[in-house]
Amino acid sequence: MTLTLTVSDEVRALVPGFTHLAIEARGLVNGPSDEASSALLDEAARRLAERLDGRTPDQDPHVAAWRAAYTAFGAKPSRTRNSAEALARRALADGGLPRINRLVDAYNAVSVAHLIPVGGEDLGRIEGAMRLVRATGEEEFTTVAGGEETVEHPEPGEIVWCDARGVTCRRWNWRQGPRTRIDDDTTDALFLLESLAPMTRGELLAAGDELARALERVSPGARITVRDPQ
């Protein structure tokens, strides 16, 4: 069954021009990072450095647009960076990009190369539809702090992704909860690429196509469906 994704009118009104592209992948075989997934990350870091040409990630127009969006719903973009900017900063640092597992490496590589937030969710752990909304503050976000599971609540007005059980990602694409994240046992997954102007539809589609090809590379035989941008 295809997962339903909706964006609330409140979010559309606050941040006009938001577009997302969803990719469903089934029959995946995941596992620890390997030579192929590491090569994707290394190439992405090289492309990022070439794209920025000495600038910092926040000087990129698409990253700047995400910073403005975070400010619009009350977040401090220098303290809680969107996922693309956070990854880009790591890619440029001495330690480089982390190696997580083959699937996460694949979507992190696309995020860094295209400077676009990309997330991945285990389809088997999502309950009901997924919605991008402005939080009331009553929603539950289950995370881990100090090695112990704990429940947080988003700030009222914060933009969050949620399903029928609770928040899956806080501050739009800042922090994903462990409940739905992709791990070595994931076989079916949803990948979400999120764009704002000035990124064009063509650029978003190109990033989605690259992720589909990367998934085929790290998990041959997977059944991959790229949806139309919404």
Side-chain angles (χ1 to χ4, degrees):
M1 180 181 294
T2 299
L3 178 70
T4 299
L5 297 164
T6 60
V7 179
S8 74
D9 291 341
E10 282 188 312
V11 172
R12 296 283 191 195
L14 186 70
V15 188
F18 168 64
T19 307
H20 66 270
L21 184 153
I23 297 175
E24 284 192 21
R26 299 181 183 273
L28 294 162
V29 178
N30 200 13
S33 302
D34 60 12
E35 185 176 340
S37 69
S38 290
L40 290 173
L41 292 170
D42 289 341
E43 174 63 11
R46 184 197 66 75
R47 290 165 62 188
L48 173 68
E50 184 178 89
R51 172 178 176 150
L52 292 175
D53 192 26
R55 295 175 298 151
T56 56
D58 58 287
Q59 293 175 301
D60 179 87
H62 194 222
V63 173
W66 276 105
R67 283 181 154 244
Y70 270 47
T71 299
F73 69 81
K76 293 180 171 59
S78 292
R79 182 180 300 172
T80 55
R81 295 183 175 91
N82 71 82
S83 62
E85 182 180 353
L87 270 177
R89 289 171 64 90
R90 294 193 70 172
L92 297 171
D94 290 341
L97 288 165
R99 271 57 173 166
I100 308 298
N101 57 53
R102 291 198 295 270
L103 297 178
V104 174
D105 291 352
Y107 77 72
N108 279 349
V110 170
S111 177
V112 167
H114 292 264
L115 273 179
I116 180 173
V118 183
E121 306 280 354
D122 188 309
L123 280 169
R125 297 171 186 158
I126 296 171
E127 299 187 12
M130 287 189 65
R131 297 172 295 123
L132 186 66
V133 300
R134 299 200 73 181
T136 65
E138 298 298 318
E139 300 88 350
E140 293 189 350
F141 176 71
T142 303
T143 186
V144 175
E148 299 290 334
E149 186 175 289
T150 185
V151 175
E152 299 177 352
H153 298 275
E155 298 292 331
E158 181 181 325
I159 294 180
V160 297
W161 278 104
C162 58
D163 65 3
R165 185 170 166 182
V167 173
T168 58
C169 195
R170 284 198 59 187
R171 293 179 188 151
W172 210 322
N173 45 45
W174 167 63
R175 177 179 291 171
Q176 182 186 33
R179 172 170 61 89
T180 60
R181 69 187 175 195
I182 291 172
D183 60 23
D184 287 359
D185 297 325
T186 297
T187 58
D188 300 329
L190 175 83
F191 301 90
L192 195 63
L193 297 83
E194 301 180 291
S195 73
L196 298 170
M199 178 172 273
T200 66
R201 179 185 174 91
E203 290 169 332
L204 175 59
L205 288 168
D209 180 68
E210 184 171 325
L211 178 54
R213 288 185 281 109
L215 293 172
E216 290 171 348
R217 178 177 175 181
V218 300
S219 183
R223 303 181 301 280
I224 298 170
T225 303
V226 181
R227 301 196 203 173
D228 289 334
Q230 300 292 325

